[in-house]
Amino acid sequence: MGTPKILVLFYSKTGHMLKMARSIAKDAENAGAEVRLRKAAELAPLSVIENTPEWKVIYSQMSDIPDAMVDDLIWMDGVIVGTPTRFGNMAAPMRNFWDQTGKLWMEGTLIGKAVAAFSSAEMVHGGQEATLLSMYPTFLAHGLLIVGIPGNVKELYKSGSYYGALSSGEPNDTDLIVARHMTHRLVEVTKKLRG
Ligand SMILES: Cc1cc2nc3c(=O)[nH]c(=O)nc-3n(C[C@H](O)[C@H](O)[C@H](O)COP(=O)(O)O)c2cc1C
């Protein structure tokens, strides 16, 4: 069967998705996967980041994490994608990353691989679920198989959704537990898909 290769791909500006992505990467490793943690490359000019103190701090906290390359998608058996909510959609750097995957789409490279998603917004009902659902047409166009979170996960009554893990503001412990359930499921599904 071999070790499943899991890509954790995220974007973060103020650190919420960074916290969840790092936690998910550990969870995937603990579940027996080989993990690549990658961030969608920033689109904002460096001068803007340098002049925004909170952004500058988080940006520097991510300096150990390489920017995602399209080749990371070729490498992986399963991918977990996280983006903050931007008015019910993924953040532009994450969109920009997927907009570079046309060749893979044409060649069907990702068909039959597994995907799961996570998001956050600032409000309790700030559009997290809308963001998750807005990502699915891209995943389905690639032939990726979406792994959600089933209703028997009891923490779903407090956080997360069928459509993926989420947080309102900084992820709390329950948010991270729900993300762990999703991650373990993604790893298990990936192992089965590899056969
Ligand atoms: C341009 C922009 C649009 C946003 N849109 C929403 C929104 O529609 N609803 C909401 O609750 N939060 C919104 N937010 C807040 C972020 O989604 C939220 O703070 C998120 O947790 C940030 O994740 P990060 O810390 O990983 O960057 C927006 C933030 C920005 C910068």
Side-chain angles (χ1 to χ4, degrees):
M1 192 186 281
T3 305
K5 298 196 270 287
I6 302 296
L7 173 65
V8 181
L9 166 66
F10 75 101
Y11 175 75
S12 187
K13 180 184 168 189
T14 52
H16 302 159
M17 294 287 82
L18 170 64
K19 181 176 177 182
M20 196 174 273
R22 285 203 194 274
S23 178
I24 283 174
K26 273 204 198 99
D27 294 338
E29 264 172 21
N30 290 339
E34 181 185 346
V35 176
R36 276 189 193 176
L37 177 62
R38 298 289 184 269
K39 62 186 191 307
E42 186 53 75
L43 291 176
L46 201 53
S47 58
V48 173
I49 298 171
E50 294 283 338
N51 285 321
T52 316
E54 321 80 71
W55 198 349
K56 193 177 167 186
V57 168
I58 299 302
Y59 193 71
S60 73
Q61 284 177 9
M62 296 191 292
S63 58
D64 61 312
I65 303 173
D67 286 347
M69 309 295 288
V70 170
D71 279 359
D72 291 317
L73 288 174
I74 299 171
W75 169 85
M76 63 81 181
D77 302 309
V79 57
I80 306 179
V81 185
T83 170
T85 290
R86 296 279 191 263
F87 315 126
N89 275 291
M90 64 176 99
M94 183 59 77
R95 180 71 258 163
N96 181 52
F97 175 78
W98 285 97
D99 284 357
Q100 295 169 52
T101 61
K103 185 163 183 280
L104 304 191
W105 166 60
M106 294 296 288
E107 293 175 354
T109 311
L110 306 184
I111 291 174
K113 297 185 180 193
V115 65
F118 59 104
S119 184
S120 82
E122 208 52 45
M123 300 177 209
V124 177
H125 302 291
Q128 294 92 330
E129 289 186 334
T131 300
L132 292 171
L133 294 173
S134 80
M135 297 159 83
Y136 291 172
T138 300
F139 298 159
L140 292 168
H142 271 295
L144 287 161
L145 304 173
I146 296 167
V147 173
I149 307 173
N152 66 350
V153 170
K154 66 178 187 319
E155 289 85 359
L156 271 186
Y157 286 88
K158 295 195 172 152
S159 171
S161 70
Y162 302 135
Y163 321 116
L166 51 83
S167 75
S168 308
E170 185 180 345
N172 61 33
D173 289 348
T174 313
D175 301 330
L176 298 181
I177 289 169
V178 172
R180 185 169 308 135
H181 280 291
M182 182 183 81
T183 302
H184 286 179
R185 188 157 189 250
L186 186 282
V187 172
E188 285 314 306
V189 168
T190 301
K191 283 180 186 168
K192 284 182 183 157
L193 289 170
R194 279 167 55 99

